[in-house]
């Protein structure tokens, strides 16, 4: 069901809009990464095409353009809307786009053959956000409460026993949303083989559930919030409840473009500046107005703003929940942005655990091949940012308390079997 059609529609930022937001940025300089020493001048042969999917967490890429940060670092870019994650994959591999807002685990999925031709490389330059995704269920499934694993698992298994197994949508095979959905099912004690898991592009989630094509979905904001706002579904679980400060989207690169170091570093510096700008609450309100536009996310400004600010109307009589510091985060003093080998290994371990891979890959080799950690370290140093020291440190996923040691994924898989 994955859409592989290549769709690249250019969008041109408003000059007036850029001037307005440059003024805003000037008043919030403390929230923006210090310029430091700018990259040395280089000859840019043509504009860099940077893709995005209509999701709230495309904000750092969009705002880097709207605020003039790309020009600040000497690069000309086109921000280009994509139809699906499969289209992003294909356009990065073909070189139709040089970089993109991208699911963290999509390059891992493609390289290992879960979601593409095995061995194809999409390098990861940096992480661009944590948190901010949600599992949304149709109102008819209100008995399934994501926070209470025992209760929600019993309700889901009762539906399966009654031959009413739900169909659940994710956005890309082996992508982050696919893993969040499967992880939630496993934590509830629900066999993933007993439910339907289909692939639907993010902007089409709400419309498909509205007409009954599926009973739930996992996707990035604002589409979970839109479903609640339109009374089509309710938020069963947010991904920050599943794993606080998990990696979510990255800046993915075309392989050939990844070797154009000066241009890549300039793009990264611009996105780092926009990331820091976005972690200021007043700036988030301004960003919501921009990205809500039709040429970007094309969704309700108020829904985008509320969930960016951590204010979640949950639906189904659950009231409102306020997240503070664990809503969608773009910088956290640059703790968000460093790509970590341990996180990449965790995702690949889930592929093995959930049967998406028949045998374990060479975890460390794949992570080292795809993550541009050395280049990120250079950029961070030039920007005056500290590199985190937890690259391969063990961590705990808070939904089920499972501990993961990146140096021993086989032991983790053995200790955490999934229900069958």
């Amino acid at each position: 069901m994955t859409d592989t059609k290549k769709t690249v529609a250019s969008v041109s930022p408003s000059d007036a809009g850029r001037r307005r937001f440059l003024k805003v940025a000037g008043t919030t300089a403390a929230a923006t990464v210090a310029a430091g020493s700018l990259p040395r001048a280089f000859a840019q042969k043509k504009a860099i095409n940077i893709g995005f999917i209509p999701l709230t967490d495309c904000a750092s890429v969009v705002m880097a353009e709207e605020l003039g940060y790309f020009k600040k670092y000497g690069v000309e870019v086109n921000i280009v809307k994509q139809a699906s994650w499969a289209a992003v994959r294909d356009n990065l591999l073909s070189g139709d786009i040089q970089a993109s807002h991208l699911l963290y685990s999509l390059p891992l999925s493609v390289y290992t053959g879960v979601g593409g031709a095995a061995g194809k490389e999409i390098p990861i330059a940096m992480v661009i956000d944590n948190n901010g995704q949600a599992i949304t269920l149709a109102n008819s499934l209100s008995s399934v409460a994501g926070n209470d694993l025992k209760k929600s698992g019993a309700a889901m298994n009762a539906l399966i026993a009654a031959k009413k197994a739900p169909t659940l949508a994710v956005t890309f095979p082996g992508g982050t949303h696919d893993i969040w959905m499967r992880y939630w099912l496993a934590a509830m004690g629900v066999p993933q083989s007993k439910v339907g898991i289909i692939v639907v592009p993010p902007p089409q989630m709400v419309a498909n559930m509205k007409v009954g094509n599926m009973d739930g979905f996992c996707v990035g904001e604002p589409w979970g919030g839109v479903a609640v706002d339109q009374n089509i579904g309710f938020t069963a679980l947010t991904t920050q409840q599943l794993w606080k400060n998990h990696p979510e989207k990255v800046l993915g690169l075309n392989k050939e473009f990844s070797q154009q170091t000066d241009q890549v570093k300039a793009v990264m510096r611009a996105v780092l500046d926009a990331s820091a700008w976005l972690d200021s609450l007043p700036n988030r309100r301004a960003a919501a107005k921009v990205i809500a536009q039709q040429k970007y996310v094309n969704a309700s400004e108020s829904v985008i703003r509320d969930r960016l600010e951590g204010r979640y109307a949950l639906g189904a009589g659950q009231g409102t929940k306020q997240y503070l510091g664990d809503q969608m985060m773009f910088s956290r003093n640059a703790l968000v942005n460093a790509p970590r080998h341990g996180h990449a290994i965790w995702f690949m371990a889930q592929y093995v655990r959930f049967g998406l891979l028949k045998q374990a890959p060479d975890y460390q080799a794949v992570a080292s091949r795809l993550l541009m950690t050395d280049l990120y370290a250079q950029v961070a140093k030039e920007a005056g940012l500290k590199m985190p020291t937890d690259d391969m440190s063990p961590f705990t996923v808070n939904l089920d308390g499972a501990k993961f040691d990146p140096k021993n994924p086989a032991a983790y898989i053995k200790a955490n079997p999934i229900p069958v």
Side-chain angles (χ1 to χ4, degrees):
M1 294 185 65
T2 305
D3 177 11
T4 58
K5 182 179 180 181
K6 297 180 182 178
T7 303
V8 181
S10 297
V11 294
S12 301
S14 161
D15 289 338
R18 182 183 294 113
R19 286 193 295 271
R20 285 196 299 274
F21 283 95
L22 279 170
K23 183 177 180 181
V24 173
T27 64
T28 57
T32 303
V33 177
S37 58
L38 298 180
R40 67 180 184 273
F42 52 84
Q44 185 176 357
K45 295 181 180 179
K46 60 181 180 180
I48 300 165
N49 291 325
I50 303 181
F52 75 97
I53 288 285
L55 292 164
T56 300
D57 53 23
C58 74
S60 58
V61 171
V62 169
M63 295 311 300
E65 172 65 5
E66 290 281 347
L67 293 164
Y69 291 151
F70 288 122
K71 287 190 175 180
K72 169 185 174 182
Y73 290 104
V75 286
E76 179 185 349
V77 307
N78 297 319
I79 306 298
V80 292
K81 186 180 287 191
Q82 305 288 289
S84 67
W85 290 120
V88 174
R89 173 199 62 198
D90 294 345
N91 288 330
L92 281 171
L93 290 174
S94 69
D96 287 347
I97 58 177
Q98 286 72 56
S100 188
H101 156 246
L102 191 67
L103 298 166
Y104 182 101
S105 56
L106 188 149
L108 305 170
S109 175
V110 171
Y111 190 82
T112 58
V114 173
K120 294 291 186 180
E121 294 182 35
I122 299 175
I124 295 171
M126 59 183 287
V127 179
I128 60 177
D129 75 296
N130 292 167
N131 309 322
Q133 319 301 295
I135 293 174
T136 303
L137 299 179
N139 290 325
S140 59
L141 296 180
S142 59
S143 61
V144 181
N147 288 336
D148 187 330
L149 294 178
K150 185 175 181 179
K151 178 181 176 182
S152 56
M156 190 74 83
N157 282 320
L159 290 170
I160 293 170
K163 300 189 183 303
K164 296 179 181 179
T167 296
L168 305 170
V170 299
T171 63
F172 188 84
T176 56
H177 304 120
D178 188 16
I179 299 307
W180 308 142
M181 182 67 80
R182 293 176 188 274
Y183 200 100
W184 179 62
L185 291 171
M188 290 192 298
V190 176
Q192 58 186 289
S193 61
K194 303 295 185 181
V195 303
I197 298 179
I198 63 174
V199 173
V200 174
Q204 298 176 24
M205 289 291 192
V206 174
N208 273 276
M209 195 158 78
K210 190 173 185 178
V211 299
N213 287 341
M214 74 269 203
D215 307 292
F217 58 79
C218 183
V219 73
E221 296 301 340
W223 304 115
V226 169
V228 172
D229 188 58
Q230 296 183 7
N231 198 31
I232 293 167
F234 68 96
T235 301
L237 187 80
T238 65
T239 54
Q240 51 264 46
Q241 290 172 301
L242 192 155
W243 174 10
K244 182 179 177 180
N245 293 333
H246 66 79
E248 179 52 41
K249 301 299 190 302
V250 298
L251 182 69
L253 305 177
N254 164 266
K255 175 65 174 176
E256 182 179 355
F257 177 69
S258 73
Q259 298 165 9
Q260 298 179 34
T261 304
D262 287 338
Q263 293 190 56
V264 172
K265 288 170 70 175
V267 169
M268 291 169 70
R269 289 293 298 274
V271 175
L272 277 171
D273 278 12
S275 298
W277 184 88
L278 279 160
D279 274 1
S280 162
L281 190 61
N283 291 347
R284 288 186 177 220
R285 294 169 184 164
K289 185 182 293 291
V290 173
I291 67 174
Q293 296 177 73
Q294 183 177 12
K295 64 181 179 179
Y296 294 134
V297 178
N298 192 24
S300 164
E301 178 189 337
S302 62
V303 172
I304 293 173
R305 182 188 64 240
D306 283 353
R307 293 207 167 188
L308 264 178
E309 294 181 9
R311 188 168 51 254
Y312 282 54
L314 299 174
Q318 297 181 97
T320 299
K321 181 175 177 62
Q322 179 69 53
Y323 291 92
L324 294 172
D326 59 350
Q327 70 269 50
M328 187 180 292
M329 300 298 288
F330 297 89
S331 177
R332 292 193 295 120
N333 295 319
L335 287 175
V336 168
N337 307 116
R340 293 162 172 83
H341 289 78
H343 293 167
I345 293 169
W346 183 88
F347 277 105
M348 288 185 282
Q350 304 311 313
Y351 295 167
V352 177
R353 181 181 176 221
F354 296 139
L356 301 177
L357 286 178
K358 299 295 185 185
Q359 57 185 6
D362 187 335
Y363 294 105
Q364 187 62 61
V366 175
S368 295
R369 178 173 289 275
L370 297 180
L371 270 59
M372 302 179 70
T373 49
D374 290 344
L375 185 65
Y376 178 82
Q378 292 179 33
V379 172
K381 183 177 181 180
E382 291 171 5
L385 301 170
K386 291 183 178 180
M387 278 290 290
T389 58
D390 59 351
D391 183 54
M392 286 289 288
S393 296
F395 56 87
T396 300
V397 176
N398 40 294
L399 182 67
D400 57 359
K403 296 180 179 180
F404 183 76
D405 183 351
K407 297 175 183 176
N408 195 355
Y412 162 84
I413 294 168
K414 184 177 180 179
N416 293 276
I418 63 169
V420 293

